[in-house]
Amino acid sequence: MLPAATPASVGPAPAARTAFGFCHSGGGSDCVVDGDTFWMAGDKIRIADIDTPETHPARCPEEARLGAAATQRLHALLNSGAVTLHPIDRDTDRYGRKLRRVEVNGRGVGDTLIAEGLARPYRGRRMGWCV
């Protein structure tokens, strides 16, 4: 009998071009929840390598502004090409979301959001966005 595959031993999901909408609360299908969470093909995906400002609820006006911008930008990125999901060493987080590194047309979504000031690298816990 073969051992069960772990997330680290499984390769990336095949790239898929999908039309994403918005789903700011509750479940959804192929939609963006916020700057680091989206639904794709029935799975709720949490981008594993970044932290973005909260939108549900934001803790201050600046976090609300940045969170809305990150959500809009993630929507635009996901709709700009073929999305590839890369597993990490853990399959899901404590909320049941699939933890994945995400690329669009071979470019890291997390890297793009960080470069644009809409995300930070994830360091094991959330950091505040309010000054």
Side-chain angles (χ1 to χ4, degrees), residues 16-33:
R17 179 100 190 193
T18 304
F20 289 88
F22 290 100
C23 51
H24 295 291
S25 63
S29 176
D30 300 333
C31 57
V32 174
V33 176

Side-chain angles (χ1 to χ4, degrees), residues 58-107:
R59 293 172 187 89
C60 65
E62 180 64 3
E63 184 173 49
R65 184 187 72 75
L66 288 171
T71 301
Q72 292 289 328
R73 185 63 173 129
L74 178 59
H75 179 261
L77 288 167
L78 293 175
N79 280 306
S80 70
V83 177
T84 305
L85 304 177
H86 296 271
I88 65 163
D89 59 346
R90 284 180 34 213
D91 188 46
T92 60
D93 67 6
R94 65 182 176 178
Y95 304 108
R97 299 176 294 187
K98 301 279 186 184
L99 295 170
R100 301 292 185 265
R101 282 185 314 97
V102 180
E103 292 180 348
V104 175
N105 294 330
R107 183 163 183 211

